[in-house]
Amino acid sequence: WYFLGPDLVWNLFDFFCIQLSLMDVTISFVVMMSNSESPMGVVMLLKMLRLARMFRLLRTLHFQIFRELKVMAIGLLSGMRTLLWAMVLLVALIYVFAVACKSLLGAESEFSDVPSSMVSLFSCFTEGCGTTSWRLYKTYGFVFAIAYASMYMVIPLGLFNLIMAVFIDNVASNQYSRKMHVMAENQHEVEVDIKEHLLRLILQSKATGVPAETEAEIMAMSNIFTSRAARVRAQFQCLEDFGVVIPEGAFDAYMRDRDFCECLEQAEIETAEGSGIFSFLDADMGGFLSVPEIYEGLMSLRGPVNKSEMVGLRLKIRHIVKLLHAQGFETAR
């Protein structure tokens, strides 16, 4: 189970780090027992193995406190392809400008050959040319000023900002896709957690009016099911069959429960509005929520709004409008 559980990747990484440490200890022991001077290759191998131990620092990304650091690291890795092509485009443009500067300004030491021209241009675009630009302006006049301003507009102001915009858009898109993928993967786990907390809160509340027989039946299921998920689903189904309704006051009390709020936050459900969530879930404005309405409403609040939800809402509204138009036409007849 250690290599098959939900933490499979992290466990494999731990196993890899342990193997590196064992190799380090084994090689060190063999070299020590040989009582001879270690070859240079063995020494370099030992140094590399000891440096590889630093990979264990990646294990800290698994903890919740380093969540933001993990997001930044994944964003950087996801944007590496964008940065690679940005470097290719930047080098290509600098090469074109360097060839032109070598042909036109070859008498200057900074542009005597193409490599020197590329280094000089890159320095000008990143750090500034300093006195070089003023000296060249004095030598070549207004023509150099126009050419330098044009290149500066194309690369530092144009290309660099374009690279930044594409990089941020790529990282944001990858992060959104990854978040939606993670939400889809842990949907069943979140379902069980939310249902378990709702069961606890509803049974503790006096405002729901759950009969003692139903409560006893729910508690008896704890000894029937060995699986936590199956037990919680069966107990929750029992509450649904009974038809428990939750008034607004009881729901507000649920939203003040610390454990329940932590469960919702881990499920990517915004809890800052607190009692305002009841008005969102109470679609028929009846002042009461059934157990399925609470669960389904909370699950629909997970994560950011995506395109499919907006399109689905628009199609439903269009269908309702068509039904109303058809009903009005029938009434007119």
Side-chain angles (χ1 to χ4, degrees):
W1 177 253
Y2 183 78
F3 293 105
L4 298 175
D7 293 331
L8 168 65
V9 177
W10 287 111
N11 293 337
L12 290 176
F13 178 74
D14 288 341
F15 182 76
F16 174 72
C17 292
I18 293 173
Q19 297 306 309
L20 288 179
S21 300
L22 288 176
M23 289 177 60
D24 182 12
V25 173
T26 303
I27 295 175
S28 301
F29 179 76
V30 171
V31 171
M32 183 180 63
M33 295 299 293
S34 63
N35 295 324
S36 60
E37 186 176 354
S38 302
M40 183 59 64
V42 176
V43 174
M44 293 299 298
L45 178 60
L46 287 174
K47 291 182 178 179
M48 292 179 61
L49 289 175
R50 287 167 183 171
L51 286 175
R53 292 181 182 180
M54 297 181 63
F55 284 113
R56 290 183 297 181
L57 295 175
L58 295 176
R59 191 68 173 82
T60 58
L61 298 178
H62 188 55
F63 299 105
Q64 187 67 21
I65 192 174
F66 297 104
R67 180 171 176 268
E68 290 76 12
L69 179 61
K70 180 180 178 181
V71 170
M72 288 188 290
I74 294 176
L76 179 62
L77 292 176
S78 63
M80 291 303 296
R81 186 175 64 177
T82 302
L83 291 179
L84 176 62
W85 287 113
M87 291 172 59
V88 172
L89 180 59
L90 177 62
V91 170
L93 286 177
I94 290 181
Y95 176 78
V96 171
F97 288 139
V99 172
C101 291
K102 196 270 179 186
S103 301
L104 300 175
L105 306 174
E108 304 294 334
S109 59
E110 295 87 351
F111 305 99
S112 58
D113 51 43
V114 174
S116 299
S117 298
M118 293 181 68
V119 173
S120 300
L121 287 175
F122 184 78
S123 299
C124 288
F125 294 146
T126 55
E127 300 178 358
C129 293
T131 59
T132 303
S133 58
W134 180 254
R135 177 172 54 83
L136 294 176
Y137 172 72
K138 288 294 186 181
T139 305
Y140 297 97
F142 190 69
V143 176
F144 170 79
I146 295 296
Y148 179 73
S150 300
M151 288 189 294
Y152 195 87
M153 293 291 292
V154 171
I155 293 184
L157 297 183
L159 181 61
F160 287 173
N161 289 320
L162 177 62
I163 292 173
M164 184 178 297
V166 173
F167 178 78
I168 293 175
D169 181 70
N170 181 267
V171 170
S173 300
N174 288 334
Q175 180 62 23
Y176 176 81
S177 300
R178 182 178 178 277
K179 178 181 290 188
M180 299 301 294
H181 181 69
V182 171
M183 287 176 54
E185 284 184 344
N186 62 11
Q187 181 175 359
H188 297 293
E189 181 180 352
V190 171
E191 171 201 352
V192 174
D193 290 340
I194 293 179
K195 286 182 176 180
E196 188 173 37
H197 282 283
L198 286 175
L199 276 167
R200 175 180 60 84
L201 294 171
I202 291 174
L203 294 179
Q204 289 177 354
S205 176
K206 302 300 182 181
T208 55
V210 180
E213 299 80 6
T214 304
E215 184 175 353
E217 180 182 353
I218 292 174
M219 299 304 297
M221 292 181 182
S222 303
N223 302 323
I224 299 177
F225 297 93
T226 57
S227 171
R228 171 175 172 261
R231 171 179 57 81
V232 171
R233 290 191 178 104
Q235 291 175 329
F236 198 79
Q237 184 63 44
C238 186
L239 275 183
E240 290 186 14
D241 295 339
F242 177 72
V244 177
V245 292
I246 314 299
E248 184 174 0
F251 186 82
D252 293 343
Y254 298 169
M255 295 304 300
R256 291 192 296 268
D257 185 83
R258 179 177 300 178
D259 295 335
F260 185 53
C261 289
E262 288 181 359
C263 174
L264 296 182
E265 290 175 359
Q266 292 177 0
E268 302 288 340
I269 298 175
E270 182 61 48
T271 60
E273 298 189 11
S275 59
I277 298 179
F278 183 89
S279 60
F280 301 151
L281 303 183
D282 189 17
D284 57 357
M285 294 181 291
F288 293 90
L289 290 176
S290 64
V291 174
E293 281 180 329
I294 295 179
Y295 164 70
E296 294 172 2
L298 291 176
M299 291 297 291
S300 64
L301 290 176
R302 293 187 66 204
V305 179
N306 53 46
K307 183 179 179 180
S308 59
E309 293 177 347
M310 299 300 296
V311 173
L313 179 61
R314 182 175 180 179
L315 293 177
K316 291 178 181 179
I317 294 176
R318 181 183 298 176
H319 178 67
I320 292 174
V321 171
K322 289 182 179 179
L323 292 178
L324 291 175
H325 278 300
Q327 184 67 28
F329 179 74
E330 291 294 333
T331 303
R333 294 179 58 184

